Amino acid sequence: MTDLMPIWEVFVRPRNGLAHKHVGSLHAGDEELALQAARDVYTRRNEGNSIWVVRSEHIAASDPDRAAENFQPSADKVYRHPTFYSVPDGVENL
Amino acid sequence: MYSQGLLKQDTAAVESEEFLAAFQDRIDAEEKIEPNDRMPAAYRKTLVRQIGQHAHSEIVGMLPEGNWITRAPTLKRKAALLAKVQDEGGHGLYLYAAAETLGVSREKMTGELLAGTAKYSSIFNYPTLSWADIGAIGWLVDGAAIMNQIPLCRCSYGPYARAMIRICREESFHQRQGFEIMTRLSQGSSEQKSMAQDALDRWWWPSLMMFGPHDAASRHSEQSMKWKIKRFTNDSLRQKFIDAIVPQAEYLQLKIPDPELKWDPERNDGAGGYAHGPIDWDEFRRVLKGQGPMARERLRARREAWETGAWVREAALAHADKRDRQRAQVA
Ligand SMILES: [Fe+2]
Ligand SMILES: [Fe+2]
C-alpha cells in the first residue's frame, strides 16, 4: 500500500447561530478534497450549512490520566457559583 | 473519529486487579470509554475485531444491491437504491473511523479485507438473483441489522456508540423502502407474487443467521455483555426480529419458509412469541468462511475497486504535495 492518506476531523454547523460541532473524521489528500468528502459523507440529510476540516495531527488534547488534577479542582470551589451566596429575604433583582 | 495525534498516545494499561476493577466500575456506572482512556487490551481487541467486521460488512454489503442499480424498474426505485447504497458506504466510513480511534489504521483494515483474512457478515455472500431480492434485503437484512444496531447506540465505547447513532438514523428508510418493494410485488401479477415469495424463501434463513450463533455456542458473548459492548444476547435479538417480521409477512400474504414456525404462548416470559425450526449452522459456517463462488466474487470486486482506484489516491497525494511545495517557495 502506498503513502497513508491523512486523517481530517470534520466539524459541522447545523445552522447559523450555533457553533460547529465535531461529527467524525475521514481520509483525504488535501483540505479541498476533505471538504468535498465531508459534504458527501456528513451532510446528506440537511445536517448543516457550514463545514470545517482540520488535520487530526494538528489537534492537541489534554491527557485523560490527568483529568482529575485538571478538572476536579473546580468542584470544590463552590464560591464560583451564585448559589454559594445568601440573599437576604425581600431583596430582589440580585 | 479522533486524531492521529491522539492515537500516538499510549493508552495501554498495566492490568493490575485494581485497574481492571476500576475499569469495570466505570462500565457498570454507564460511563463511556473514550479514545485516550486507558483500557484493557482485550477490550480494545474485542472492539477492533467487532467494529472492523461491521465496517467490512457495510462495504461488502454495497455489492449485492449495487448489482441492481442499473436495472431498477423505475427512476424512483433507482434513486432510492442509489441513496441506500451510498448510505452503506458512509456507514463503512463511520465505522472504520471509529476503529481507527483504537489505534488500528484504515489501510491495515482494508488490507485484511482484501487479503481475505478479515470476516464480514455471511449474508453478503448470497447472490441477488431478481429485483425482489432488493425488496427482501431492505426488509429482512436491513431489518435484522437495525435490531442488532439499536442496542449498539448505547455501547460503552463512545466513538462506536456515536457512529451507531448516525447509522441508525440513516437506516430507518432502508427497511421501509424494502418493505414497499415487497408490498408492490405481492399485490402484483402472479409472477410478481412468486418473485416476492422466492426472495423471502432464499433470504429468510440467512437473515436469522445474521444474529450469530445460539447463546450457548457464542464465544465472545459473555465478556462483551459484561463490558456493555453488547446489550442483548444473539437469541433474544433473533426472537425480537422473528416476532416483528411474522405479522409483516402475513400482511404481504407471503409464507415464511419454516414449517415449524408457530405461536408459542410461553415465549418472551409468557408474553408469547414465535417458535422456529432449527437453523442450518453448517451452512452458516461454510458461507462465513467464504466458501462458494459469491465469496470469491465479492473479494474480487473489492480488490478491483481498490486497484483501479489507486491512481486517484496517488494523484490526490501528489497534488497536495506539489501545492505544499509551491506554497513553501512563495513563502
Ligand atoms: Fe448500513
Ligand atoms: Fe442499511
Side-chain angles (χ1 to χ4, degrees):
Chain A
M1 245 150 271
T2 49
D3 282 348
L4 296 189
M5 200 58 93
I7 305 186
W8 301 76
E9 300 303 319
V10 181
F11 301 82
V12 171
R13 183 175 62 207
R15 56 187 157 82
N16 286 14
L18 295 176
H20 286 74
K21 193 173 167 242
H22 183 248
V23 291
S25 61
L26 49 80
H27 290 254
D30 61 24
E31 67 273 17
E32 207 179 309
L33 290 171
L35 281 170
Q36 262 176 38
R39 191 212 57 180
D40 289 349
V41 175
Y42 289 106
T43 61
R44 292 201 301 283
R45 289 180 174 83
N46 303 320
E47 284 91 339
N49 64 9
S50 168
I51 302 173
W52 288 351
V53 291
V54 59
R55 279 282 288 268
S56 302
E57 62 188 20
H58 293 160
I59 291 181
S62 64
D63 180 353
D65 282 349
R66 304 178 71 170
E69 63 191 271
N70 274 334
F71 307 112
Q72 267 173 17
S74 60
D76 58 23
K77 292 181 177 61
V78 281
Y79 47 84
R80 285 177 173 169
H81 299 278
T83 45
F84 179 71
Y85 302 92
S86 54
V87 177
D89 280 350
V91 176
E92 283 173 22
N93 298 323
L94 203 63
Chain B
M1 242 173 237
Y2 290 82
S3 56
Q4 275 173 329
L6 304 190
L7 298 180
K8 280 180 203 132
Q9 192 152 328
D10 177 21
T11 58
V14 179
E15 300 192 19
S16 64
E17 243 168 75
E18 291 106 287
F19 168 77
L20 290 175
F23 184 79
Q24 190 61 48
D25 285 347
R26 291 183 65 190
I27 301 272
D28 292 342
E30 297 288 336
E31 216 182 286
K32 295 280 185 230
I33 308 302
E34 293 293 344
N36 288 354
D37 293 352
R38 297 206 178 272
M39 58 185 92
Y43 178 81
R44 177 192 309 275
K45 203 176 146 204
T46 303
L47 281 167
V48 167
R49 190 190 58 234
Q50 181 172 333
I51 302 172
Q53 284 178 11
H54 196 161
H56 298 324
S57 300
E58 301 282 356
I59 297 299
V60 178
M62 297 166 79
L63 296 170
E65 289 181 294
N67 182 33
W68 280 89
I69 290 174
T70 56
R71 291 174 290 161
T74 66
L75 196 55
K76 174 188 156 185
R77 296 287 181 220
K78 183 172 180 164
L81 185 56
L82 202 54
K84 178 183 189 291
V85 172
Q86 190 188 19
D87 275 354
E88 307 300 6
H91 297 172
L93 186 143
Y94 307 155
L95 290 162
Y96 282 129
E100 283 182 295
T101 67
L102 293 157
V104 53
S105 74
R106 171 88 172 261
E107 286 79 5
K108 180 167 184 279
M109 288 184 282
T110 305
E112 286 168 356
L113 174 65
L114 299 184
T117 53
K119 278 186 192 151
Y120 57 84
S121 179
S122 62
I123 193 86
F124 301 118
N125 283 342
Y126 291 88
T128 38
L129 303 177
S130 82
W131 171 252
D133 288 16
I134 300 308
I137 288 180
W139 176 35
L140 301 173
V141 176
D142 288 83
I146 292 168
M147 281 293 173
N148 269 327
Q149 288 170 351
I150 287 172
L152 289 172
C153 295
R154 294 191 295 127
C155 166
S156 62
Y157 187 58
Y160 191 25
R162 291 193 285 278
M164 290 317 304
I165 289 169
R166 274 196 84 85
I167 288 175
C168 285
R169 213 182 289 144
E170 298 184 351
E171 281 292 345
S172 52
F173 104 82
H174 296 181
Q175 195 186 17
R176 283 193 186 187
Q177 65 90 35
F179 191 73
E180 198 186 87
I181 292 172
M182 293 304 275
T183 308
R184 252 333 141 71
L185 289 173
S186 64
Q187 291 168 354
S189 67
S190 66
E191 254 176 311
Q192 287 172 315
K193 273 183 218 163
S194 59
M195 261 170 76
Q197 182 63 55
D198 170 61
L200 171 58
D201 289 347
R202 283 180 291 109
W203 291 95
W204 173 252
W205 290 105
S207 301
L208 295 193
M209 293 175 196
M210 283 177 71
F211 295 93
H214 287 305
D215 297 346
S218 179
R219 271 194 301 147
H220 307 294
S221 263
E222 207 177 317
Q223 185 58 60
S224 286
M225 300 270 289
K226 212 174 144 219
W227 277 332
K228 298 192 196 284
I229 293 171
K230 227 173 137 155
R231 298 271 176 173
F232 297 98
T233 69
N234 295 351
D235 283 330
S236 67
L237 288 169
R238 184 165 21 238
Q239 183 68 48
K240 241 177 127 177
F241 175 74
I242 296 172
D243 293 342
I245 294 292
V246 171
Q248 294 167 0
E250 277 166 11
Y251 170 85
L252 295 172
Q253 295 187 305
L254 296 176
K255 199 176 166 329
I256 287 180
D258 178 359
E260 290 173 55
L261 186 84
K262 62 169 193 299
W263 181 256
D264 172 8
E266 303 296 311
R267 296 237 155 183
N268 297 322
D269 296 325
Y274 288 90
H276 62 85
I279 295 172
D280 182 357
W281 293 111
D282 288 338
E283 174 184 316
F284 174 74
R285 276 183 288 271
R286 271 198 311 277
V287 179
L288 189 65
K289 279 202 191 110
Q291 291 168 13
M294 272 334 279
R296 279 196 295 280
E297 167 53 26
R298 299 296 182 230
L299 283 190
R300 187 205 60 75
R302 284 315 308 157
R303 285 189 196 121
E304 182 184 276
W306 178 258
E307 282 157 20
T308 54
W311 71 270
V312 178
R313 295 189 296 277
E314 283 158 22
L317 287 172
H319 176 71
D321 191 49
K322 184 173 145 197
R323 232 200 23 196
D324 283 351
R325 273 183 285 120
Q326 280 171 348
R327 277 185 189 163
Q329 267 170 17
V330 172

PDB file of all heavy atoms in Angstrom, chain B residues 58 88 91 167 171, ligand 1:
ATOM      1  N   GLU B  58     -20.516  -3.410   5.933  1.00  0.00           N
ATOM      2  CA  GLU B  58     -21.183  -2.291   5.253  1.00  0.00           C
ATOM      3  C   GLU B  58     -20.635  -2.145   3.834  1.00  0.00           C
ATOM      4  O   GLU B  58     -21.381  -1.925   2.881  1.00  0.00           O
ATOM      5  CB  GLU B  58     -20.968  -0.975   6.017  1.00  0.00           C
ATOM      6  CG  GLU B  58     -21.471  -0.983   7.463  1.00  0.00           C
ATOM      7  CD  GLU B  58     -22.986  -0.812   7.579  1.00  0.00           C
ATOM      8  OE1 GLU B  58     -23.658  -0.614   6.557  1.00  0.00           O
ATOM      9  OE2 GLU B  58     -23.496  -0.906   8.710  1.00  0.00           O
ATOM     10  N   GLU B  88     -24.710   3.042   2.815  1.00  0.00           N
ATOM     11  CA  GLU B  88     -23.920   1.915   3.341  1.00  0.00           C
ATOM     12  C   GLU B  88     -22.428   2.228   3.241  1.00  0.00           C
ATOM     13  O   GLU B  88     -21.651   1.891   4.141  1.00  0.00           O
ATOM     14  CB  GLU B  88     -24.244   0.604   2.605  1.00  0.00           C
ATOM     15  CG  GLU B  88     -25.733   0.214   2.526  1.00  0.00           C
ATOM     16  CD  GLU B  88     -26.436   0.013   3.861  1.00  0.00           C
ATOM     17  OE1 GLU B  88     -25.828   0.267   4.916  1.00  0.00           O
ATOM     18  OE2 GLU B  88     -27.631  -0.368   3.847  1.00  0.00           O
ATOM     19  N   HIS B  91     -21.692   4.361   6.088  1.00  0.00           N
ATOM     20  CA  HIS B  91     -21.647   3.590   7.341  1.00  0.00           C
ATOM     21  C   HIS B  91     -20.287   2.924   7.508  1.00  0.00           C
ATOM     22  O   HIS B  91     -19.710   2.907   8.589  1.00  0.00           O
ATOM     23  CB  HIS B  91     -22.743   2.514   7.364  1.00  0.00           C
ATOM     24  CG  HIS B  91     -24.125   3.096   7.319  1.00  0.00           C
ATOM     25  ND1 HIS B  91     -25.248   2.331   7.172  1.00  0.00           N
ATOM     26  CD2 HIS B  91     -24.553   4.386   7.393  1.00  0.00           C
ATOM     27  CE1 HIS B  91     -26.318   3.119   7.164  1.00  0.00           C
ATOM     28  NE2 HIS B  91     -25.918   4.368   7.281  1.00  0.00           N
ATOM     29  N   ILE B 167     -25.720   5.972  12.181  1.00  0.00           N
ATOM     30  CA  ILE B 167     -26.107   4.889  11.278  1.00  0.00           C
ATOM     31  C   ILE B 167     -27.588   4.546  11.455  1.00  0.00           C
ATOM     32  O   ILE B 167     -28.331   4.431  10.481  1.00  0.00           O
ATOM     33  CB  ILE B 167     -25.203   3.655  11.504  1.00  0.00           C
ATOM     34  CG1 ILE B 167     -23.800   3.945  10.964  1.00  0.00           C
ATOM     35  CG2 ILE B 167     -25.798   2.412  10.852  1.00  0.00           C
ATOM     36  CD1 ILE B 167     -22.777   2.864  11.230  1.00  0.00           C
ATOM     37  N   GLU B 171     -30.547   4.389   8.771  1.00  0.00           N
ATOM     38  CA  GLU B 171     -31.073   3.077   8.393  1.00  0.00           C
ATOM     39  C   GLU B 171     -32.581   3.073   8.222  1.00  0.00           C
ATOM     40  O   GLU B 171     -33.127   2.224   7.522  1.00  0.00           O
ATOM     41  CB  GLU B 171     -30.738   2.018   9.462  1.00  0.00           C
ATOM     42  CG  GLU B 171     -29.333   1.472   9.432  1.00  0.00           C
ATOM     43  CD  GLU B 171     -29.011   0.630   8.211  1.00  0.00           C
ATOM     44  OE1 GLU B 171     -29.950   0.216   7.501  1.00  0.00           O
ATOM     45  OE2 GLU B 171     -27.837   0.407   7.960  1.00  0.00           O
TER      46      GLU B 171
HETATM   47 FE    FE C   1     -25.742   0.122   6.977  1.00  0.00          FE
END
